[in-house]
Amino acid sequence: MTADAPGFGVYVHWPFCVSKCPYCDFNSHVRSTIDETGWRDALLRDLETQARPFADRRVTSVFFGGGTPSLMAPATVAAVIDRIAALWPLAPDVEITLEANPNSAEVARFRDLRAAGIGRVSIGVQALDDDALRLLGRAHGGDEARRAIAAAAAIFDRFSFDLIYARPGQGLDAWTRELGAALALAGEHLSVYQLTFEPGTRFEQLRRRGDIVPLDDETADAMFDATRAILDAHGLPAYEISNHARPGAASRHNLGYWRYEDYLGVGPGAHGRLTLGGVKYATRAERAPETWMAQVAAAGEGMAARDVVAPADAAREALLMGLRLTAGISPPRFQRVCGTPLDAALDPRGLARMIEGGFLRRDADGTLVATPAGLRVLDAVLVEIAR
Amino acid sequence: MTDLDRIRNFAIIAHIDHGKSTLADRLIQFCGGVDQREFRDQMLDSMDIERERGITIKAQTVRLAYRAQDGKDYVLNLMDTPGHVDFAYEVSRSLAACEGSILVVDASQGVEAQTLANVYQAIDNGHEIVPVLNKIDLPAADPGRVKQQIEDVIGIDASGAVEVSAKTGLNIGAVLEALVQRLPAPVGDAAAPLKALLVDSWYDPYLGVVVLVRIRDGRLVRGQKIRMMAAGATYEVDRVGVFTPKPKDMAALGPGEMGFITAGIKAVADVKVGDTITEERRPAAEPLPGFKPSLPVVFCGLFPTDTADFEHLRESLAKLRLNDASFVYEPESSAALGFGFRCGFLGLLHLEIIQERLEREFDLDLIATAPSVVYKVHLTNGEVVDVYNPVDMPDPVRVDHIEEPWIKATIFVPDEYLGAVLKLCEDRRGRQDQLTYAGTRAMLVYRLPLAEVVFDFYDRLKSVSRGYASFDYAVDSYEEGDVVKLAILVNAEPVDALSIMVHRAEAESRGRVLCVKLKELIPQQLFKIAIQAAIGGRIIARETVSALRKDVTAKCYGGDISRKRKLLEKQKEGKKRMRQFGKVDIPQSAFFAALKAREN
């Protein structure tokens, strides 16, 4: 990983899932049939149209997210990767990731996806326990998940998987055991999220009706601490609030988001942040698949909005993303990505209060770091320090 | 000038919603004061807030031209008065300007508390009362029963009551005829030195201060030098006129007449309701009786939500006071709320009206602290200090005893809710003076500490009686009370704006409830928050808001940074609406809502 060359990522959104998970508030849709060719052409067209002003970039990462991109035909994935490679030079260490479900049907495509150019998979394992997987509405079982991880380890250069903890009724011991079992399967990277109840999800509906009771804060908090300690001890320290990796094995693409580097968003609901002529633009594509398709057909790209991000807003964005990283924000890099000096983006009184309270740390070179205490309550910390 | 025997001056007395404004509208229309095109409902209530709430805040007069059945032309001066108890003094001055009153009673509802208070004031002013039964067209109207009730409860003859429907205009002529026949003509001496009662005043952006007057003796003409006998100020009259209800200039006003003047007066505060206006060169020997400056009885702090609005608030208060001299204010600063004003009001409705007008007419966002009454604190050195603000309460070791204001409350309530109302009065430390029945309604007279009434008594009364109880009160006396200051501490620091005065017997329960309520209202923050209630140095209740544990541990789609930024901006906006107290942010809503908390 080259530390200082600014990255340029391409995000490709595949909006379809076999079924909607009850905790998920992502832009995902269930359709009985999908016109694969039509979708491939639309994605390529969207990509090409959007790429035009940015031909001078070098692509450092590509990420297929969703939805469930492992449901894409490997030929579609290949077509998108090939088009990206035709539009831009690829960095020698380019990272090309695809999110995959551990269902056996999808695992069967791993070799074809590898051949299409996927070098890294991120598997939505979520849990290793059958009951927990049923609760989370997942279509796979624990054994299936284990087989998928083994297949990924064998087929791809790099892989990661996701776990969701702090589930209703989960105990601290049960979680540390589950995490231990996961570690036996893990490679260089692991993402561990707490279950939250997001507006518009089925879980949130159940919670409001009292049919599902979130885990208490004390236990969830203890789990957060235990997770960090265990993964630290296993050589997978956190590099972001919920992401752990061996040194150098962080997700290059996600790192780009957190460092507020440029990325281009392709597909329905995809967002982009792009700098052109010293101006930062925010792009947002139409969310509904059919609307997006129609927009691409009409305009060559699926854009719902393309807005200039004012310098003060860009500074806020760089701040709120950057502090998620355990490495924190280095002042020169901050100024390079958003144009504002780091200290001009900070409220000095709030900053002093947060440092005094042990939520933030300022290193000798000016790097601003959220402490473990500050990381988990970062939103509240940001309210104090952001201008 | 009009002959005295062709003048009739009358007020309209009614309980809220019994149809006073509608009747006034009909009388004006009947006499041709406005044509159909100009007419709108509640003709006399010019403020938005009056029209919306259906209440009258400022007195108004209308001069009606009426040709009676005897073929003669009469001038009928209608005085529209505020009906609410908060403006009782203004009502008494309006009544003093008339010789008679129309008593409007809803023919289905019957006599209510405000009816009673106002009609007794009218009788005290020597008025001839013309009972009018309104809403006679409604199926529930029961004129026979209501007439009987008027005779039983008020003790006046109701046999000649006029039955009308102000809504449909039924029998309006009969009301006018009754006024001519039954009300006495005013008396006065046109040759004597000018003696005019100052009934009310308001600020008009074009005319300056407009003063409403009733002439007793002498004449009021343009160019005349006049003197306010109590205030001592002199002015030159630059306009004399009457309202029809449109303003109409007149050459002069003579005895028995009502009208308005303008005289280059800058602020309403310079003209006091109840004052006597006389001639500068030939002053009257004696002022008219009954002048007393109105005194605020309820106080609260008003602070701008955004501290940058302080200047705007100051200017707005000054402008509002041009129009309403009965509220007072002085600068106040609070550690929690910053710079604001301590404001005094005639009562709770008055407080609400002023606050609403500030927010509405001046576009201010305000935080109001808990309403407080004026305590007379007797110090051990013999001194007596008036305390308007719990923060100013002297150190308990210097206090010998404290007196608090009491009111005399009159409550009308249907039988079935009597028990609940009695309980409410007893819970509020009330002492029963009287309990009588009129038909199926009870009339209760209770003495209550004002402090127990200022906050939510009226709301509670309405709720325990399902809206059927009516209520009126007058400030009565001061009595010694075992009153203590309940302080609220947040992380061991007292929050001045949250301290309240309470009776010792309920201090503990109020303290407990307050702490619990604040715990609900103060969101989790980065630091643990201790909330304590204390009397003197003694902590009587404690709650803890635990520190925020996590807010960013969810999986989120990394690319949608806008959503995260908007969340941050929303949270920052929310923080602006909080007041920072040490490390703790207290939402503004907490300051008022916490104090509403009582154990039910």
Side-chain angles (χ1 to χ4, degrees):
Chain A
M1 188 169 66
T2 42
D4 275 286
F8 181 76
V10 178
Y11 176 79
V12 182
H13 193 83
W14 185 258
F16 304 109
C17 285
V18 172
S19 60
K20 182 94 188 166
C21 298
Y23 55 86
C24 174
D25 68 336
F26 286 19
N27 187 27
S28 59
H29 305 262
V30 179
R31 297 282 184 279
S32 51
T33 57
I34 295 154
D35 167 16
E36 185 87 27
T37 317
W39 272 89
R40 183 194 64 201
D41 293 347
L43 285 173
L44 295 178
R45 184 138 181 247
D46 189 30
L47 174 63
E48 236 165 43
T49 310
Q50 287 199 62
R52 253 175 239 146
F54 303 100
D56 60 338
R57 306 297 170 96
R58 193 175 68 152
V59 170
T60 49
S61 66
V62 179
F63 196 101
F64 291 86
T68 311
S70 51
L71 293 173
M72 288 171 88
T76 307
V77 175
V80 172
I81 294 172
D82 289 350
R83 190 61 55 93
I84 289 169
L87 288 164
W88 293 284
L90 302 182
D93 58 348
V94 66
E95 172 195 278
I96 303 179
T97 306
L98 180 134
E99 285 181 333
N101 270 346
N103 305 19
S104 45
E106 291 158 50
V107 171
R109 299 173 170 186
F110 276 7
R111 286 193 186 282
D112 292 337
L113 288 167
R114 174 80 191 87
I118 299 296
R120 181 176 181 271
V121 282
S122 173
I123 309 170
V125 168
Q126 318 310 10
L128 292 170
D129 173 70
D130 285 347
D131 288 339
L133 286 166
R134 259 193 299 279
L135 171 81
L136 293 172
R138 302 293 291 177
H140 62 271
D143 287 340
E144 224 175 345
R146 286 186 178 82
R147 281 196 297 275
I149 295 168
I155 294 166
F156 297 100
D157 303 338
R158 299 167 62 195
F159 76 95
S160 173
F161 58 90
D162 291 2
L163 294 172
I164 294 178
Y165 71 103
R167 305 186 294 254
Q170 194 178 27
L172 178 61
D173 285 348
W175 165 239
T176 54
R177 272 198 308 277
E178 188 176 355
L179 187 60
L183 271 172
L185 307 167
E188 54 167 27
H189 192 284
L190 201 57
S191 300
V192 279
Y193 303 104
Q194 291 198 349
L195 179 65
T196 54
F197 295 78
E198 302 299 327
T201 61
R202 171 117 186 95
F203 267 8
E204 171 59 11
Q205 225 179 357
L206 293 170
R207 187 194 64 80
R208 262 186 286 151
R209 286 216 310 253
D211 291 345
I212 189 166
V213 180
L215 191 68
D216 64 280
D217 278 352
E218 286 77 8
T219 310
D221 213 30
M223 286 178 174
F224 185 84
D225 290 334
T227 303
R228 282 185 68 112
I230 291 167
L231 294 182
D232 261 348
H234 281 77
L236 286 171
Y239 68 97
E240 192 262 357
I241 295 166
S242 309
N243 285 278
H244 297 253
R246 293 196 207 295
S251 160
R252 157 70 65 90
H253 185 81
N254 287 333
L255 221 42
Y257 294 152
W258 294 317
R259 289 177 176 162
Y260 204 52
E261 292 170 347
D262 279 8
Y263 56 94
L264 191 138
V266 179
H271 288 250
R273 281 292 179 285
L274 294 154
T275 315
L276 192 64
V279 177
K280 183 78 81 177
Y281 294 88
T283 66
R284 175 167 59 81
E286 294 288 355
R287 278 175 67 91
E290 292 74 19
T291 316
W292 176 84
M293 275 283 238
Q295 181 68 16
V296 172
E301 55 182 10
M303 225 44 95
R306 179 182 273 115
D307 300 315
V308 172
V309 185
D313 289 342
R316 280 186 176 177
E317 294 189 342
L319 188 67
L320 71 87
M321 294 304 276
L323 281 178
R324 296 180 70 96
L325 293 171
T326 55
I329 297 174
S330 96
R333 199 204 297 268
F334 184 88
Q335 188 165 358
R336 196 167 63 231
V337 294
C338 74
T340 303
L342 176 57
D343 280 283
L346 299 170
D347 171 56
R349 281 181 49 207
L351 178 66
R353 237 186 352 259
M354 291 300 97
I355 290 173
E356 187 207 340
F359 298 103
L360 293 175
R361 191 182 80 222
R362 201 82 198 251
D363 291 345
D365 65 352
T367 300
L368 184 65
V369 184
T371 64
L375 267 185
R376 73 191 72 188
V377 289
L378 188 58
D379 282 354
V381 172
L382 285 163
V383 172
E384 298 291 325
I385 64 166
R387 272 210 195 270
Chain B
M1 287 196 308
T2 315
D3 284 349
L4 284 167
D5 64 357
R6 296 291 178 83
I7 300 175
R8 298 291 184 272
N9 295 318
F10 69 101
I12 306 182
I13 295 169
H15 188 74
I16 191 163
D17 290 337
H18 280 201
K20 183 182 71 157
S21 295
T22 315
L23 180 62
D25 289 349
R26 287 300 159 270
L27 294 174
I28 294 166
Q29 279 180 309
F30 193 93
C31 296
V34 287
D35 58 37
Q36 205 53 46
R37 183 174 49 79
E38 295 168 310
F39 182 79
R40 54 179 195 167
D41 284 342
Q42 272 184 275
M43 278 302 298
L44 300 180
D45 294 331
S46 52
M47 276 188 264
D48 284 347
I49 193 165
E50 290 183 312
R51 306 179 75 81
E52 275 170 31
R53 290 184 172 223
I55 55 173
T56 303
I57 299 168
K58 304 300 274 184
Q60 297 278 347
T61 63
V62 186
R63 182 181 174 116
L64 306 171
Y66 174 63
R67 176 164 292 172
Q69 282 167 11
D70 60 12
K72 295 175 186 159
D73 288 321
Y74 288 84
V75 167
L76 304 181
N77 288 309
L78 185 170
M79 170 74 70
D80 192 21
T81 61
H84 195 273
V85 53
D86 281 5
F87 310 107
Y89 178 66
E90 283 69 13
V91 176
S92 83
R93 294 306 85 195
S94 302
L95 294 175
C98 304
E99 284 76 29
S101 290
I102 293 177
L103 168 65
V104 183
V105 181
D106 185 312
S108 57
Q109 303 279 321
V111 173
E112 296 283 355
Q114 274 171 27
T115 324
L116 205 68
N118 289 339
V119 80
Y120 283 142
Q121 274 200 325
I123 292 169
D124 287 348
N125 274 287
H127 276 200
E128 180 67 34
I129 310 287
V130 176
V132 169
L133 303 188
N134 190 21
K135 308 192 188 179
I136 204 77
D137 56 318
L138 295 185
D142 187 353
R145 180 181 63 84
V146 173
K147 277 186 206 173
Q148 188 61 46
Q149 197 195 19
I150 290 172
E151 298 195 346
D152 292 348
V153 177
I154 304 173
I156 57 170
D157 177 15
S159 60
V162 189
E163 298 179 12
V164 308
S165 166
K167 199 174 134 211
T168 65
L170 176 75
N171 247 355
I172 297 302
V175 176
L176 293 162
E177 203 55 36
L179 289 170
V180 168
Q181 287 169 15
R182 285 154 63 177
L183 258 51
V187 293
D189 179 0
L194 173 66
K195 217 184 224 187
L197 176 66
L198 201 162
V199 177
D200 207 346
S201 64
W202 60 87
Y203 183 80
D204 181 289
Y206 302 103
L207 302 173
V209 172
V210 177
V211 178
L212 211 56
V213 294
R214 155 71 202 268
I215 316 289
R216 291 284 177 192
D217 292 318
R219 300 172 69 220
L220 194 48
V221 296
R222 190 170 349 122
Q224 196 174 24
K225 283 255 172 61
I226 54 165
R227 169 190 288 275
M228 309 294 178
M229 292 183 80
T234 58
Y235 302 96
E236 189 176 316
V237 176
D238 46 41
R239 204 171 164 192
V240 177
V242 296
F243 293 105
T244 67
K246 287 175 288 186
K248 182 182 159 196
D249 285 337
M250 304 280 283
L253 290 173
E257 290 190 295
M258 286 187 195
F260 71 88
I261 58 166
T262 64
I265 302 164
K266 295 282 180 292
V268 173
D270 299 335
V271 284
K272 308 227 181 297
V273 171
D275 203 346
T276 302
I277 301 172
T278 189
E279 291 162 60
E280 164 80 334
R281 245 180 284 158
R282 193 177 58 138
E286 291 281 323
L288 296 164
F291 172 75
K292 58 170 190 187
S294 56
L295 284 177
V297 295
V298 176
F299 288 78
C300 81
L302 291 181
F303 294 84
T305 297
D306 183 347
T307 49
D309 279 343
F310 174 79
E311 252 327 282
H312 182 36
L313 174 59
R314 197 180 58 76
E315 284 165 14
S316 306
L317 285 168
K319 276 189 195 148
L320 207 53
R321 199 172 142 73
L322 285 177
N323 207 351
D324 183 352
S326 55
F327 91 97
V328 296
Y329 63 95
E330 58 179 45
E332 177 184 10
S333 71
S334 149
L337 301 178
F339 294 100
F341 293 91
R342 192 79 192 161
C343 302
F345 307 92
L346 298 176
L348 272 187
L349 178 74
H350 191 215
L351 183 159
E352 269 181 46
I353 286 168
I354 295 289
Q355 201 186 333
E356 196 175 322
R357 290 186 65 188
L358 284 168
E359 297 197 334
R360 189 195 293 217
E361 294 170 30
F362 298 95
D363 198 23
L364 280 159
D365 227 345
L366 297 175
I367 307 174
T369 62
S372 165
V373 300
V374 182
Y375 292 95
K376 291 197 181 299
V377 180
H378 293 254
L379 302 177
T380 47
N381 66 5
E383 244 182 275
V384 183
V385 286
D386 285 352
V387 173
Y388 300 83
N389 188 344
V391 175
D392 300 330
M393 194 51 72
D395 190 322
V397 301
R398 292 175 52 220
V399 175
D400 184 68
H401 67 280
I402 299 174
E403 286 183 333
E404 61 175 329
W406 281 63
I407 59 159
K408 193 171 201 166
T410 307
I411 299 165
F412 270 72
V413 60
D415 283 353
E416 60 258 54
Y417 306 112
L418 179 63
V421 171
L422 286 171
K423 180 173 186 314
L424 175 65
C425 291
E426 293 296 325
D427 287 349
R428 300 296 172 96
R429 296 193 280 137
R431 290 205 290 263
Q432 201 185 102
D433 259 13
Q434 210 182 313
L435 170 56
T436 49
Y437 283 92
T440 59
R441 287 170 79 80
M443 184 181 88
L444 270 173
V445 178
Y446 251 90
R447 297 191 66 252
L448 287 150
L450 180 59
E452 298 287 337
V453 174
V454 288
F455 211 87
D456 60 351
F457 181 82
Y458 193 57
D459 291 344
R460 296 284 307 143
L461 181 69
K462 285 281 171 199
S463 112
V464 301
S465 68
R466 305 217 174 167
Y468 284 112
S470 61
F471 167 71
D472 198 2
Y473 75 89
V475 176
D476 192 35
S477 61
Y478 269 83
E479 278 186 29
E480 185 171 343
D482 194 2
V483 177
V484 292
K485 177 172 150 183
L486 181 68
I488 296 296
L489 292 79
V490 171
N491 281 351
E493 302 256 1
V495 179
D496 53 5
L498 286 173
S499 60
I500 51 170
M501 302 296 299
V502 288
H503 195 257
R504 191 183 300 275
E506 58 170 30
E508 290 216 8
S509 76
R510 284 292 289 279
R512 247 190 337 265
V513 173
L514 252 168
C515 287
V516 170
K517 190 77 189 166
L518 282 167
K519 182 182 176 173
E520 283 167 26
L521 290 165
I522 299 177
Q524 281 196 327
Q525 292 167 38
L526 289 167
F527 304 91
K528 188 169 86 176
I529 304 164
I531 303 164
Q532 296 167 304
I535 301 171
R538 194 166 61 90
I539 303 294
I540 56 163
R542 183 194 163 102
E543 292 288 335
T544 306
V545 179
S546 58
L548 181 72
R549 286 172 181 276
K550 60 177 161 101
D551 56 13
V552 288
T553 47
K555 181 174 171 73
C556 57
Y557 162 47
D560 187 0
I561 304 178
S562 309
R563 178 168 154 185
K564 295 190 189 71
R565 190 184 83 223
K566 277 172 192 148
L567 179 71
L568 172 62
E569 280 158 7
K570 205 172 121 198
Q571 287 175 323
K572 279 189 79 76
E573 252 338 282
K575 192 178 159 69
K576 264 200 215 152
R577 284 194 300 274
M578 308 242 233
R579 284 306 161 108
Q580 202 157 46
F581 206 79
K583 285 176 178 172
V584 182
D585 290 318
I586 302 178
Q588 278 154 15
S589 54
F591 290 97
F592 212 62
L595 295 151
K596 274 191 175 161
R598 266 179 187 269
E599 250 162 3
N600 286 323

